[in-house]
Amino acid sequence: MKIGEAIKISKRMGLPETEALILLSYLSGNSKEYLLSHLEEECNEKFFLFVKKRLSGYPLHYIIKKKHFFKGEFYVEEGVFIPRFETEGLVELAIDIIKRRKIGTIAEIGVGSGAVSVSILCETNVRALGTDVSEKAIKVTRLNASNFGVESRIDLRKGRFLEPFRSEYKNIELIISNPPYVRQGAILPEDVTFEPPEALFGGEDGLYFYKEFFKLYDTSGKIVLMEIGDDQGEYFRKQNITVLKDYSGKDRYILVE
Ligand code: SAM
Ligand code: GLN
């Protein structure tokens, strides 16, 4: 089947043209511009398999195995959280603090794909410590750190919170995290249900991670920067914690310094 025909049929099946082009581009290695100017060429036979998978709700980025985040393309695969646009704001805040305060060591809890730490490492000279409860997240972060050429400045260990770095805790100047903060039982868009639950759910009120973290760690003398859900700002404001907004004007980050 020709590319033009395949796009038309997949559109009729319910797939937006932009996604059809992304899938075709992934399958052939050709750019979207190339595809659009070669609609008469034969399309890859796997295309409709991917269209069906996508229409079943399976995330586009798990099919094409990458997600653009901040300034680069991150490798992602099933079992690892797909980095979100809002989190780029967390990275920008961190880079600004690191440069202003001349910070040398940061720690990230829950690295996932490594999007946050790797982006920060690309823009600053810090050393990063990173944890995740998921072995796959550690593996994928290691791969992304290596793809971006920053693997020598990141130390990754599997474990909860900062437990694997207990002995180095005193050297950490900035603690950063985009933790799971979705309320247990919340209705999620279908594609999100394919992502790992341990990356998303933060207990009954979505606040389990933050409550546990501040109970476990003495953060005096350190800066803590975390992402929160857009309906969780009030909880933190009540405790005199600074709440910052994202690009769309929603409560999204907390800063303790
Ligand atoms: N930092 C990545 C990002 O922003 O794209 C991933 C964020 S994802 C929302 C949360 C990550 O934290 C998941 O990879 C999950 O496995 C991990 N995680 C959840 N609870 C954790 C805990 N108590 N300690 C360490 N990692 C945790
Ligand atoms: N914003 C995410 C979502 O799309 C949740 C991220 C998180 O829990 N850290 O559901």
Side-chain angles (χ1 to χ4, degrees):
M1 187 185 294
K2 295 192 167 118
I3 290 173
E5 183 79 0
I7 293 176
K8 220 183 279 167
I9 294 175
S10 63
K11 218 174 185 175
R12 237 179 278 142
M13 291 166 75
L15 190 75
E17 182 171 325
T18 49
E19 292 204 13
L21 286 166
I22 291 170
L23 290 177
L24 287 164
S25 174
Y26 170 70
L27 282 167
S28 66
N30 293 317
S31 70
K32 288 173 220 164
E33 294 71 26
Y34 178 93
L35 294 166
L36 285 170
S37 54
H38 292 79
L39 295 172
E40 295 300 309
E41 274 184 18
E42 278 302 298
C43 118
N44 187 301
E45 61 200 22
K46 274 199 186 147
F47 176 63
F48 283 101
L49 274 176
F50 282 17
V51 172
K52 281 192 197 125
K53 201 163 187 189
R54 177 65 190 120
L55 289 174
S56 77
Y58 195 74
L60 179 68
H61 301 286
Y62 284 162
I63 299 178
I64 64 170
K65 300 269 181 5
K66 63 178 180 220
K67 174 76 204 295
H68 183 88
F69 180 84
F70 199 61
K71 296 189 181 171
E73 296 290 336
F74 283 79
Y75 173 83
V76 290
E77 63 180 42
E78 192 173 331
V80 172
F81 183 81
I82 301 166
R84 305 289 206 269
F85 175 64
E86 307 88 87
T87 309
E88 295 186 8
L90 187 78
V91 168
E92 284 186 341
L93 286 166
I95 292 170
D96 182 56
I97 294 170
I98 289 165
K99 289 187 173 163
R100 253 187 315 113
R101 309 276 289 258
K102 303 199 170 28
I103 283 170
T105 304
I106 68 164
E108 183 186 5
I109 309 174
V111 287
S113 64
V116 171
S117 281
V118 170
S119 299
I120 294 172
L121 286 166
C122 288
E123 299 286 316
T124 66
N125 295 319
V126 288
R127 182 173 80 96
L129 314 176
T131 70
D132 205 294
V133 289
S134 150
E135 186 72 52
K136 190 172 248 188
I138 298 288
K139 191 193 89 185
V140 169
T141 295
R142 205 162 270 143
L143 178 67
N144 279 317
S146 155
N147 289 347
F148 283 84
V150 297
E151 72 276 20
S152 63
R153 285 188 287 132
I154 189 164
D155 187 349
L156 295 161
R157 297 185 196 165
K158 182 175 177 247
R160 295 181 78 235
F161 296 95
L162 293 170
E163 290 317 290
F165 292 107
R166 268 283 174 207
S167 61
E168 273 136 285
Y169 186 71
K170 59 181 184 312
N171 302 322
I172 300 169
E173 293 157 274
L174 169 70
I175 298 168
I176 189 164
S177 184
N178 168 24
Y181 56 64
V182 177
R183 277 193 188 84
Q184 206 67 49
I187 312 284
L188 296 172
E190 194 177 15
D191 48 358
V192 180
T193 62
F194 289 87
E195 293 186 84
E198 70 273 21
L200 296 167
F201 296 107
E204 220 164 291
D205 56 2
L207 294 164
Y208 168 80
F209 180 96
Y210 311 96
K211 289 177 178 166
E212 194 68 8
F213 170 78
F214 286 108
K215 202 160 63 191
L216 284 171
Y217 296 92
D218 173 7
T219 62
S220 48
K222 302 189 194 296
I223 300 171
V224 179
L225 180 64
M226 291 184 183
E227 186 169 318
I228 61 167
D230 57 8
D231 58 349
Q232 293 171 336
E234 230 14 71
Y235 169 81
F236 293 102
R237 265 190 216 99
K238 275 191 193 137
Q239 299 176 64
N240 286 322
I241 289 178
T242 305
V243 177
L244 303 168
K245 298 203 184 284
D246 63 17
Y247 301 118
S248 57
K250 292 180 176 158
D251 288 343
R252 186 66 66 192
Y253 318 105
I254 52 166
L255 176 63
V256 182
E257 44 184 341

